[in-house]
Structures are given as C-alpha cells and as structure tokens.
C-alpha cells in the first residue's frame, strides 16, 4: 500500500486466477483502499464457468470496471504516449487517458 501511494498509483489493472477467489479478494481490497479497479475480462478465469461469470458480473456492478483486453491495451498505449510527451515537454506530468 505504501509503495503504491509513494508512486501516486490511483488505478490497478487486475489479471489472474481464480475469479471467485483471489481476483475478487484483490478487487475488493483495492476498492477498500480507494483505488480504481479494472479487471481485464480475458485475463481472469475460474475452474467453474458459472462462478466466473457471476463474479465478473458482481465485480462490475459493485467494485470494478470489467473491460475487454483490447480496451485496456489501447488505454495503456495512450497512457505511455502521454507520459512520454509530458516528460519531453518538461512538465513531467501527463493527463491519463480515459478508460471505460
């Protein structure tokens, strides 16, 4: 938590297994700490398709933005370009690209 705060992180992009266990717990914890949580839909899974689908739906309703991989990759590409432009212009900051 301290490391993320030191780096001024405000958004966490989540991938992993299991959607109904570790992923969900990480998303709930992140939300508790007031991070914007993003779950990459194609990058999470569960042993049971029903549990996977139900938990993605619930997280999207309450805790996180569940987004397709293509949208997250486009966001990261835009974010990197803005960071480079901000660094080159000398202000060291860049406005984050919109996601979701």
């Amino acid at each position: 938590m301290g490391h993320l705060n030191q780096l001024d992180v405000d958004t966490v992009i989540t991938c992993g297994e299991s959607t109904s266990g570790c992923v969900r717990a990480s998303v709930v914890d992140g939300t508790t700490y007031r991070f914007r949580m993003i779950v990459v839909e194609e990058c999470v899974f569960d042993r049971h398709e029903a549990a996977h689908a139900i938990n993605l739906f619930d997280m999207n309703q309450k805790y996180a933005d569940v987004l397709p991989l293509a949208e997250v990759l486009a966001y990261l590409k835009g974010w990197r370009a803005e960071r480079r432009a901000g660094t080159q212009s000398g202000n060291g900051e860049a406005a984050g690209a919109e996601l979701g």
Side-chain angles (χ1 to χ4, degrees):
M1 194 52 220
H3 186 66
L4 295 175
N5 284 334
Q6 181 182 2
L7 295 172
D8 292 325
V9 170
D10 63 358
T11 301
V12 176
I13 298 172
T14 310
C15 304
E17 67 170 295
S18 102
T19 310
S20 62
C22 298
V23 171
R24 183 183 179 89
S26 297
V27 166
V28 171
D29 285 350
T31 301
T32 301
Y33 286 111
R34 304 185 64 90
F35 289 107
R36 177 179 182 206
M37 300 302 295
I38 297 170
V39 177
V40 184
E41 189 171 8
E42 295 92 337
C43 299
V44 294
F45 69 96
D46 207 305
R47 289 175 288 171
H48 302 287
E49 196 60 39
H52 174 72
I54 290 166
N55 279 281
L56 280 180
F57 175 81
D58 191 55
M59 283 187 286
N60 193 55
Q61 293 298 306
K62 297 177 185 175
Y63 308 110
D65 294 316
V66 177
L67 300 173
L69 177 60
E71 190 172 333
V72 174
L73 291 175
Y75 164 78
L76 289 172
K77 184 177 178 180
W79 181 83
R80 273 186 242 129
E82 288 181 18
R83 292 282 294 188
R84 276 190 226 112
T87 302
Q88 290 172 358
S89 69
N91 67 7
E93 293 184 16
E98 277 301 310
L99 182 63

